[in-house]
């Protein structure tokens, strides 16, 4: 039995390709399957270096046959999480006239507003990955965080964030999924995906520094009001830490990784929570 209504998310890192599949019920994700597959030598510094081998790995992980779950599943569509290499965030505010003679806001009007926002990105070396609307404002100055479909207005203003990545990075990831027969529902840059997840966690601050340490690279993303504003990357990650422990203690990489996992994270509760940064207006 093949199931096509499943929703899937796929992420490619330097070490693994990861898959999560499930349904959304009452606006909550219900995970029915997750898997990961080693892809060493196929991606380096989040750049695809062995296209054909990575295509094969994606095909393998997206065909699921689980006797335990009594499920056979072929993933045909997926949301793709992209690495934040060259990640840029722009803001745009655009206004368009409502098309209908009755001035009722329809999906066409929202699409027209979004298309105006897209035109703000003129860099030929960049590709738009995502557009995140923050607000919609009607002619009477009423403001909404979701599209005000069905309401009456002569104009509609959109304020949105635009997420971009270098065009060659986006094209290479698109091509590998195309060749693996996976249609892309949407693309998301990893800091935004993480910040969206965190935004649903109770009592978590809205502004923070998000540090994502991979095997070869570490990214630092500034999150404000639950949204990423920019990311910086250093070419050092878990592998460098492992090598340092190996050199210091004369042990194997496997043992070093084990020690880092056991002792490398301080899980003690603390009462002091200093701000990441502060500023004074002059």
């Amino acid at each position: 039995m093949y199931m096509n209504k499943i929703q899937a998310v796929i992420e490619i890192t330097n070490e693994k390709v990861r898959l999560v599949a499930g349904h959304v019920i009452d606006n909550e994700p219900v995970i029915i399957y997750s898997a990961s597959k080693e892809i060493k030598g196929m991606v380096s510094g989040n750049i695809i270096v062995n296209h054909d081998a990575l295509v094969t790995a994606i095909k393998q992980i997206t065909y699921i046959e689980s006797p335990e779950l009594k499920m056979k599943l072929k993933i045909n569509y997926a949301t793709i999480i992209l690495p934040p290499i060259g990640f840029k965030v722009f803001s745009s505010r655009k206004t368009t006239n409502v098309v209908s003679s009755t001035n009722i806001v329809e999906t066409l009007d929202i699409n027209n507003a979004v298309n105006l926002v897209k035109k703000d990105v003129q860099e030929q070396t960049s590709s738009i990955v995502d557009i995140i609307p923050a607000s919609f404002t009607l002619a009477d100055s009423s403001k909404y965080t979701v599209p005000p479909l069905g309401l009456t207005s002569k104009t509609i203003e959109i304020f949105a964030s635009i997420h971009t990545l270098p065009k060659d990075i986006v094209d290479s990831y698109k091509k590998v999924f195309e060749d693996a027969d996976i249609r892309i529902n949407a693309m998301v840059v990893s800091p935004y995906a993480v910040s969206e997840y965190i935004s649903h966690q109770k009592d978590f601050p809205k502004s923070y520094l998000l540090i994502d340490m991979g095997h070869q690279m570490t990214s630092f993303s500034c999150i404000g009001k639950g949204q990423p504003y920019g990311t910086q990357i250093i070419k050092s990650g878990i592998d460098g830490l492992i090598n340092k422990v190996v050199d210091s203690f004369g042990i194997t990489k496997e043992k070093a990784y084990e020690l880092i996992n056991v002792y490398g994270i301080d899980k003690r509760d603390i009462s002091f929570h200093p701000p990441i940064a502060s500023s004074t207006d002059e």
Side-chain angles (χ1 to χ4, degrees), residues 2-7 73-77:
Y2 287 86
M3 300 172 61
N4 293 318
K5 293 183 179 180
I6 208 78
Q7 295 194 38
L73 173 67
K74 173 66 176 71
I75 299 295
N76 298 312
Y77 300 84

Side-chain angles (χ1 to χ4, degrees), residues 13 42 52 60-61 68 93 95 116-117 121 124 141 145 149 175 183 192 215-216 236 240 246:
T13 69
M42 303 179 201
D52 293 343
Q60 290 172 345
I61 201 172
E68 295 82 4
R93 189 184 301 273
T95 301
L116 287 176
V117 169
V121 179
Q124 295 185 355
S141 298
T145 56
L149 299 174
K175 179 62 175 173
R183 294 188 180 182
Y192 176 69
H215 277 268
Q216 299 176 15
S236 179
V246 168

Side-chain angles (χ1 to χ4, degrees), residues 104-175:
I104 295 176
V105 178
E106 300 176 350
T107 301
L108 174 62
D109 302 304
I110 305 301
N111 291 339
N112 287 342
V114 171
N115 286 333
L116 287 176
V117 169
K118 287 181 180 179
K119 293 179 181 179
D120 263 4
V121 179
Q122 300 295 334
E123 299 180 17
Q124 295 185 355
T125 58
S126 296
S127 289
I128 295 176
V129 174
D130 205 358
I131 293 178
I132 316 297
S135 65
F136 299 89
T137 305
L138 301 184
D140 61 1
S141 298
S142 57
K143 187 174 292 188
Y144 305 87
T145 56
V146 295
L149 299 174
L151 300 184
T152 302
S153 178
K154 290 185 178 181
T155 62
I156 181 169
E157 177 190 88
I158 183 175
F159 178 65
S161 294
I162 308 169
H163 295 176
T164 71
L165 289 175
K167 188 176 184 300
D168 56 345
I169 297 292
V170 175
D171 289 348
S172 66
Y173 277 78
K174 280 184 175 179
K175 179 62 175 173

Side-chain angles (χ1 to χ4, degrees), residues 81-99:
I81 298 179
L82 298 174
I85 300 176
F87 177 42
K88 293 182 180 179
V89 181
F90 302 91
S91 294
S92 177
R93 189 184 301 273
K94 295 295 180 183
T95 301
T96 185
N97 293 323
V98 173
V99 175

